[in-house]
Amino acid sequence: DGGITQSPKYLFRKEGQNVTLSCEQNLNHDAMYWYRQDPGQGLRLIYYSQIVNDFQKGDIAEGYSVSREKKESFPLTVTSAQKNPTAFYLCASKGAGYSNQPQHFGDGTRLSIL
Amino acid sequence: KNQVEQSPQSLIILEGKNCTLQCNYTVSPFSNLRWYKQDTGRGPVSLTIMTFSENTKSNGRYTATLDADTKQSSLHITASQLSDSASYICVVRNSSASKIIFGSGTRLSIRP
């Protein structure tokens, strides 16, 4: 089945540690996105990529980094510079060129501080 | 400022009853409005999309309406089922910035 796979489902970070969240899609979508979801707030865009080897900062990029070496993969690293990383992280993808197409979401990674 | 406001924040209803969720937005220029359903611990799934010229659109027991003049949308759920328990998120696209703005969602709980 085509879809987006995020792993791990749960992740714990120690002080000063960088952690990487995985996002893989087999939908042949060009665009991929990372969002952060906090209780009582709308999804906030961290980074997005419209094409391989290119990505752009979203609204809350500080303390995060990404790479897009393959079309299928868009990993997110939460660095030690992100002082409040506890949240639910969602990865999404979308086919190029059609604004009415929905974003397809993975099932998220919940990150907590140890 | 581009904003999407949803109400109520949470709602509890009995199984079999109907309910209506509201979405008000100030996004301009408007491109489209989408409703997503998000089950606990899962990613959002698209229910329906409304463009400027559409007033009503149905997807099974879900009916979305759009009033582009007042910048309001509603999602009506008919004959609710336990599986309807989820968060419902309204998302509006700004056509000039090619940006989407998420509401904070309505948490719906269906009680047997």
Side-chain angles (χ1 to χ4, degrees):
Chain A
D1 272 12
I4 299 181
T5 301
Q6 290 188 240
S7 63
K9 184 71 174 173
Y10 300 94
L11 188 58
F12 298 90
R13 196 191 87 170
K14 296 179 182 178
E15 288 287 336
Q17 186 181 40
N18 294 352
V19 292
T20 297
L21 285 60
S22 171
C23 178
E24 303 279 332
Q25 55 100 0
N26 59 6
L27 298 166
N28 199 33
H29 285 168
D30 290 302
M32 295 187 75
Y33 308 81
W34 274 106
Y35 293 95
R36 172 179 171 139
Q37 188 173 37
D38 294 282
Q41 296 190 40
L43 273 67
R44 291 183 290 168
L45 183 64
I46 304 172
Y47 269 98
Y48 65 99
S49 168
Q50 304 277 39
I51 197 169
V52 175
N53 292 323
D54 186 47
F55 49 82
Q56 307 294 329
K57 291 182 179 180
D59 300 319
I60 55 165
E62 186 175 348
Y64 301 97
S65 66
V66 294
S67 63
R68 187 83 186 277
E69 297 176 0
K70 299 187 300 182
K71 186 175 186 178
E72 301 80 16
S73 179
F74 191 40
L76 173 74
T77 296
V78 184
T79 74
S80 57
Q82 172 49 246
K83 297 306 179 187
N84 183 24
T86 298
F88 190 53
Y89 290 87
L90 286 161
C91 178
S93 72
K94 180 176 172 295
Y98 299 98
S99 65
N100 285 358
Q101 290 295 315
Q103 291 189 7
H104 295 260
F105 286 87
D107 280 338
T109 292
R110 188 166 297 280
L111 176 62
S112 303
I113 295 290
L114 276 180
Chain B
K1 184 179 179 181
N2 290 315
Q3 284 188 314
V4 177
E5 303 282 347
Q6 292 188 244
S7 61
Q9 201 169 20
S10 62
L11 182 62
I12 301 174
I13 64 171
L14 292 175
E15 185 179 11
K17 298 296 185 182
N18 303 336
C19 66
T20 300
L21 315 181
Q22 299 289 345
C23 175
N24 296 339
Y25 61 92
T26 58
V27 177
S28 181
F30 173 87
S31 177
N32 59 55
L33 183 149
R34 188 181 297 277
W35 284 93
Y36 281 92
K37 178 187 180 188
Q38 184 178 20
D39 292 318
T40 301
R42 305 292 298 274
V45 175
S46 177
L47 290 174
T48 185
I49 182 172
M50 308 288 290
T51 58
F52 188 87
S53 59
E54 295 174 307
N55 299 118
T56 303
K57 185 176 283 187
S58 292
N59 176 4
R61 293 180 297 102
Y62 300 103
T63 300
T65 66
L66 175 67
D67 185 334
D69 292 330
T70 61
K71 299 187 176 181
Q72 295 180 326
S73 176
S74 66
L75 181 69
H76 185 76
I77 303 174
T78 303
S80 61
Q81 299 176 359
L82 297 178
S83 60
D84 293 330
S85 293
S87 288
Y88 292 84
I89 302 172
C90 176
V91 183
V92 181
R93 175 175 286 277
N94 177 309
S95 59
S96 64
S98 192
K99 184 173 182 173
I100 60 174
I101 299 95
F102 289 81
S104 58
T106 292
R107 177 72 197 166
L108 177 64
S109 297
I110 311 297
R111 297 283 187 253

